[in-house]
Amino acid sequence: MNNKKLCVVGLGGVGGYLGCMLAHHYDNIYFFARGERLASIKKNGLRLHSDAFGEFTTYPTMASNNAKEMGVMDYIILSVKNFSLEQVCAEISTMIDENTVIIPLLNGVNVSSNLRNLIGKVHVLDGLIYITSGASKDFSIHHTSPYGVVHIGYERQNQCGEIILLEVKKLLQGANITCIIENDIEAAIWTKYILNCAYNIVTAYYKATTGDLRKNEISMLQLKTLLAEACSVARSLKINIAGDLEDIHFKHILQNQSESATSSLNRDIISGRQNELETFSGQLLKLASSRCLKIPMTEFFYEELKKVNKF
């Protein structure tokens, strides 16, 4: 990283955590942000409250909403909501040249394919992250899980050199961010997506935490059905997910997840913010339809949540 530049685009719960960790360990980290969040970072830095790493404030080399001002980047971590991807790609285009490596950590499937269509033939990895974190009203970041694990790889149809994956892994691990290179990144992305298509939806419908769900037998049965429906879509698409993935996710929520945890979809709908309902239920329903599959529980929750969704 001595002569490399990295920009984190999107400084919410996930991007804020990664930005803080990277800026805490490296001197050449840039933040792309807007509005009040940008003003706060410029004035106060970005504060991390982490159950795993304690509390500290970081100051990037530059925080700006002007990509041209920051210049071309060697690495870009994209941590924005799916619905803003096209707009963000247009805004950061001057940061990207033929050598830039982009690491997208968005929810949903086919993200990297969409990115390649939007920005052309640059080095776009496939990625995901498991973490529990969020941004407070003062824009500080609260990391409430003992883990924050990034998974990276390339789609089967886009085999690029392993050297880029190794470089990114080294970069992240140099900032105490656990990074795993996946042999089958498509299966890894779908494994998380299936969890989101069930957990985000049920918590948003019931306005619930994990602890609330566990006390409601009906919601847990619905959760199990949603997991099974999402798995059925993945298997129809020949995604190599675990044969018992429904049970793995259900047991994790039932036994291991923090009782106070909830989903980003629940927080966004309660707050009246634009959200990723379409990324989860909407996209899953389209994929199911393309395979002539019926997923009635998913459809029920999708229609119900659209009634309270302002977007």
Side-chain angles (χ1 to χ4, degrees):
M1 281 295 291
N2 287 342
N3 299 306
K4 303 285 186 178
K5 293 170 66 177
L6 183 149
C7 184
V8 180
V9 180
L11 279 299
V14 171
Y17 166 78
L18 295 170
C20 283
M21 295 296 288
L22 288 160
H24 192 57
H25 289 85
Y26 299 123
D27 294 329
N28 43 0
I29 304 300
Y30 296 71
F31 291 170
F32 184 85
R34 306 186 193 89
E36 293 181 4
R37 175 175 275 113
L38 175 59
S40 175
I41 292 171
K42 283 186 170 184
K43 181 179 179 181
N44 306 310
L46 188 59
R47 184 79 176 166
L48 177 67
H49 309 269
S50 171
D51 287 359
F53 300 105
E55 298 190 12
F56 53 85
T57 301
T58 58
Y59 299 88
T61 301
M62 182 187 296
S64 177
N65 60 1
N66 185 335
K68 192 172 183 178
E69 179 184 26
M70 291 193 282
V72 173
M73 294 291 153
D74 296 285
Y75 302 96
I76 296 174
I77 293 177
L78 272 181
S79 181
V80 297
K81 294 294 177 71
N82 218 295
F83 51 77
S84 65
L85 184 60
E86 185 172 353
Q87 177 188 344
V88 166
C89 285
E91 291 176 346
I92 67 170
S93 61
T94 56
M95 289 186 192
I96 302 167
D97 69 9
E98 66 275 9
N99 297 311
T100 303
V101 176
I102 299 179
I103 306 123
L105 300 176
L106 284 71
N107 289 319
V109 293
N110 302 323
V111 171
S112 294
S113 297
N114 294 337
L115 258 175
R116 293 180 190 110
N117 291 332
L118 289 167
I119 62 178
K121 294 182 179 180
V122 297
H123 301 294
V124 179
L125 275 61
D126 298 89
L128 66 135
I129 184 169
Y130 285 100
I131 191 171
T132 304
S133 59
S136 298
K137 289 182 179 180
D138 66 354
F139 305 109
S140 64
I141 307 300
H142 289 259
H143 171 223
T144 56
S145 55
Y147 56 85
V149 184
V150 174
H151 299 246
I152 57 173
Y154 282 112
E155 290 178 349
R156 290 169 297 184
Q157 66 269 32
N158 186 50
Q159 293 295 333
C160 295
E162 188 179 351
I163 188 167
I164 293 176
L165 293 172
L166 293 172
E167 285 175 354
V168 172
K169 180 177 180 178
K170 183 178 180 181
L171 170 105
L172 294 175
Q173 294 195 157
N176 275 344
I177 300 166
T178 303
C179 181
I180 296 171
I181 296 175
E182 293 282 353
N183 291 326
D184 188 346
I185 189 64
E186 187 178 35
I189 288 170
W190 266 93
T191 295
K192 182 184 178 185
Y193 181 61
I194 287 164
L195 178 62
N196 283 338
C197 286
Y199 181 74
N200 275 263
I201 298 306
V202 172
T203 49
Y205 178 79
Y206 286 104
K207 299 180 175 61
T209 64
T210 300
D212 297 329
L213 293 183
R214 289 173 182 159
K215 297 171 186 174
N216 184 337
E217 184 177 351
I218 292 174
S219 71
M220 293 302 286
L221 290 172
Q222 290 168 329
L223 175 71
K224 200 166 192 177
T225 301
L226 289 170
L227 288 168
E229 288 184 349
C231 284
S232 72
V233 176
R235 292 183 182 118
S236 75
L237 293 167
K238 309 300 182 186
I239 310 298
N240 190 31
I241 59 171
D244 60 345
L245 185 59
E246 304 95 321
D247 294 332
I248 292 171
H249 280 330
F250 188 76
K251 287 177 182 176
H252 170 75
I253 294 168
L254 185 64
Q255 299 173 2
N256 300 325
Q257 199 166 45
S258 167
E259 287 209 347
S260 62
T262 190
S263 67
S264 59
L265 183 63
N266 180 35
R267 289 193 295 267
D268 287 344
I269 289 179
I270 287 174
S271 300
R273 294 191 293 259
Q274 195 167 359
N275 55 72
E276 295 185 299
L277 178 61
E278 291 298 328
T279 298
F280 302 131
S281 296
Q283 186 176 18
L284 189 67
L285 283 162
K286 289 177 183 176
L287 290 168
S289 178
S290 74
R291 306 299 296 174
C292 298
L293 281 178
K294 298 291 185 182
I295 47 174
M297 187 68 75
T298 299
E299 186 171 8
F300 166 78
F301 279 111
Y302 177 62
E303 295 299 332
E304 289 300 307
L305 284 170
K306 280 203 300 185
K307 296 175 184 177
V308 298
N309 186 12
K310 296 180 180 179
F311 292 90

